[in-house]
């Protein structure tokens, strides 16, 4: 008997070569806003001051449900700064979505009751090192304490299975990766990490940083029985940081898609790459855009030649897990 993911992978490969059909997507990633209360050194979204209106959001959510989307990831900016966040979560839950919110964690304490009452399915909190390092990278003193306090409150109120720690690996924090992972084990929460994208001054290039990172991969491989299916992705992250000529592919516009703050339908949550924008879901039908010639062409191009945006996130190992194919197109 094949698994659900294997069946989806088989259907995906059929759809890539069938210009009359498109896969049914599972995940919608929505960039709710570009407002943020932190000033992270590897992100410039805080320079914006935009947010999706509630009316535009519910239009897209309703059309997503009709298309077959079952999971919603709300991100930003800082999603807890969106004035209608909890109305959006409530509406999404009424439509049957599983809802995740990805946050810097600093506003959890003051919104905890609303978080619990919203019925949100999971919350992912960014932690990028121990206190001094995290605060430096996130651009605000005290952000580590607030985020960790928020994680502990979420574990208490929602349960540890609904909480995750996300870690962006840079040359400033790689030596603290193991400690944060060990803390996640102690708390019993999920843990994921990936290399910083598209900020070259933070890449792992020095021998000491590469050694530290490689040793952590071996460490987590021994601790986590589910890590083996992700190991190739994490090892090749070093090639990405060495800026090797490598093209990669994911399930963007297949299993998942992104909606940016301006309503542009894109393959994923990497909010760039003009050639990857399919059209505006605030002004057009999501289903029409999903099944459009442009979407099919971008979908096929990502599969056959790799993504033009050249990002490197955990959607890559998900591609391999679902399709049983390498996420590397060319190296």
């Amino acid at each position: 008997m094949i698994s659900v993911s294997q069946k989806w992978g088989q259907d995906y490969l059929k759809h890539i070569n069938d210009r009359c059909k498109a896969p049914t997507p599972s995940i919608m990633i929505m960039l709710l806003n570009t407002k943020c209360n932190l000033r992270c050194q590897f992100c410039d979204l805080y320079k914006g001051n935009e947010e999706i209106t509630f009316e535009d959001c519910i239009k897209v959510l309703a059309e997503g449900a009709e298309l077959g989307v079952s999971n919603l990831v709300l991100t930003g900016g800082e999603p807890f700064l969106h004035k209608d966040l909890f109305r959006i979560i409530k509406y999404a839950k009424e439509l049957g979505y599983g809802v995740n919110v990805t946050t810097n964690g600093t506003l959890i304490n003051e919104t905890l009751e609303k978080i619990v009452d919203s019925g949100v399915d999971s919350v992912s909190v960014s932690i990028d090192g121990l206190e001094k390092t995290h605060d430096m990278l996130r651009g605000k003193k005290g952000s580590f304490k607030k985020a960790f306090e928020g994680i502990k409150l979420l574990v208490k109120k929602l349960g540890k299975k609904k909480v995750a720690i996300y870690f962006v690996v840079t040359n400033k924090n790689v030596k603290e990766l193991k400690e944060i992972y060990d803390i996640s084990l102690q708390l019993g929460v999920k843990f994921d990490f990936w290399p910083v994208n598209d900020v070259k001054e933070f890449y792992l290039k020095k021998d000491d940083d590469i050694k530290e990172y490689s040793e952590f991969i071996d460490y987590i491989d021994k601790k986590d029985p589910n890590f083996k299916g992700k190991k190739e992705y994490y090892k090749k992250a070093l090639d990405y940081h060495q800026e090797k000529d490598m093209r990669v592919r994911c399930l963007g516009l297949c299993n998942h898609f992104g909606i940016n703050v301006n309503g542009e339908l894109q393959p994923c949550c990497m909010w760039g790459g003009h050639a990857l924008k399919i059209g505006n879901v605030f002004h057009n039908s999501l289903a029409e855009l999903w099944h459009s010639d442009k979407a099919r062409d971008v979908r096929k191009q990502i599969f056959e030649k790799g993504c033009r945006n050249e990002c490197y996130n955990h959607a890559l190992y998900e591609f391999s897990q679902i399709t049983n194919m390498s996420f590397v197109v060319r190296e």
Side-chain angles (χ1 to χ4, degrees):
M1 181 180 295
I2 64 173
S3 67
V4 172
S5 62
Q6 288 173 326
K7 176 64 166 60
W8 198 96
Q10 291 176 4
D11 290 345
Y12 159 75
L13 294 174
K14 291 178 183 177
H15 290 313
I16 285 295
N17 294 300
D18 187 344
R19 296 191 61 83
C20 298
K21 296 181 180 179
T24 299
S26 299
I27 304 167
M28 179 193 303
I29 308 163
M30 184 175 288
L31 183 75
L32 281 180
N33 58 7
T34 55
K35 299 176 181 179
C36 191
N37 57 331
L38 300 185
R39 297 294 181 266
C40 302
Q41 292 192 25
F42 44 77
C43 176
D44 61 359
L45 284 176
Y46 66 83
K47 296 178 181 179
N49 193 35
E50 303 168 293
E51 68 177 24
I52 295 177
T53 68
F54 179 71
E55 291 72 23
D56 283 336
C57 191
I58 62 173
K59 170 192 180 295
V60 178
L61 291 179
E63 292 179 354
E66 290 180 3
L67 192 61
V69 182
S70 54
N71 293 289
L72 172 68
V73 177
L74 299 173
T75 184
E78 173 46 54
F80 284 109
L81 288 175
H82 194 292
K83 65 180 184 297
D84 292 314
L85 173 64
F86 295 104
R87 291 176 69 197
I88 292 168
I89 294 173
K90 181 181 178 182
Y91 183 76
K93 293 300 297 178
E94 289 174 352
L95 290 174
Y97 285 95
V99 181
N100 167 267
V101 177
T102 301
T103 172
N104 63 40
T106 60
L107 301 175
I108 291 172
N109 188 18
E110 57 198 74
T111 56
L112 182 64
E113 187 175 336
K114 290 182 178 179
I115 294 172
V116 175
D117 291 344
S118 73
V120 68
D121 294 273
S122 62
V123 180
S124 303
V125 183
S126 297
I127 298 290
D128 297 316
L130 300 173
E131 184 172 358
K132 183 178 178 181
T133 303
H134 177 90
D135 287 359
M136 178 271 293
L137 287 170
R138 291 282 163 177
K140 189 172 183 180
K141 189 174 182 179
S143 58
F144 177 88
K145 287 184 177 179
K146 285 186 176 180
F148 248 101
E149 179 186 4
I151 290 170
K152 291 176 181 177
L153 288 170
L154 290 174
V155 168
K156 184 178 180 180
K157 294 293 185 178
L158 296 181
K160 58 189 178 183
K161 291 184 178 181
K162 293 188 175 183
V163 185
I165 290 176
Y166 284 173
F167 190 110
V168 178
V169 184
T170 74
N171 54 29
K172 306 296 183 185
N173 64 6
V174 65
K175 291 179 173 61
E176 298 170 12
L177 179 56
K178 178 179 177 295
E179 288 186 74
I180 299 301
Y181 172 65
D182 286 343
I183 290 172
S184 75
L185 292 180
Q186 293 168 13
L187 292 172
V189 302
K190 298 175 183 177
F191 180 84
D192 205 353
F193 66 103
W194 49 86
V196 65
N197 276 238
D198 201 28
V199 189
K200 296 180 180 180
E201 61 266 31
F202 285 139
Y203 284 1
L204 305 178
K205 291 193 172 184
K206 294 181 179 179
D207 290 344
D208 286 351
D209 293 336
I210 292 172
K211 181 175 181 292
E212 195 80 34
Y213 179 79
S214 299
E215 288 177 351
F216 176 72
I217 291 176
D218 292 337
Y219 178 75
I220 193 172
D221 191 27
K222 293 175 183 177
K223 288 273 189 179
D224 183 356
N226 298 315
F227 185 76
K228 293 191 185 301
K230 310 173 185 178
K231 195 170 181 178
E232 180 190 14
Y233 161 80
Y234 287 110
K235 290 177 70 175
K236 286 190 176 296
L238 292 172
D239 291 340
Y240 172 75
H241 273 191
Q242 295 301 315
E243 301 180 66
K244 292 186 178 180
D245 186 19
M246 178 174 64
R247 280 300 182 100
V248 296
R249 57 189 172 187
C250 70
L251 294 170
L253 292 182
C254 292
N255 188 43
H256 63 263
F257 61 89
I259 305 293
N260 74 10
V261 72
N262 298 311
E264 295 288 348
L265 171 63
Q266 300 179 158
C268 70
C269 62
M270 300 303 295
W271 313 111
H274 180 74
L276 298 175
K277 295 178 180 178
I278 307 304
N280 195 293
V281 295
F282 297 161
H283 309 308
N284 301 283
S285 159
L286 174 58
E288 289 179 4
L289 292 174
W290 183 257
H291 294 285
S292 68
D293 289 342
K294 177 70 180 292
R296 286 197 297 267
D297 290 344
V298 173
R299 192 177 291 126
K300 194 172 180 66
Q301 177 255 315
I302 290 174
F303 175 75
E304 293 180 345
K305 298 181 180 179
C307 183
R308 294 179 184 176
N309 214 35
E310 298 183 16
C311 64
Y312 201 92
N313 61 56
H314 57 188
L316 301 180
Y317 69 66
E318 291 169 355
F319 174 92
S320 295
Q321 289 174 328
I322 290 177
T323 66
N324 201 31
M325 301 175 67
S326 175
F327 63 86
V328 179
V329 180
R330 188 195 72 215
E331 56 182 331

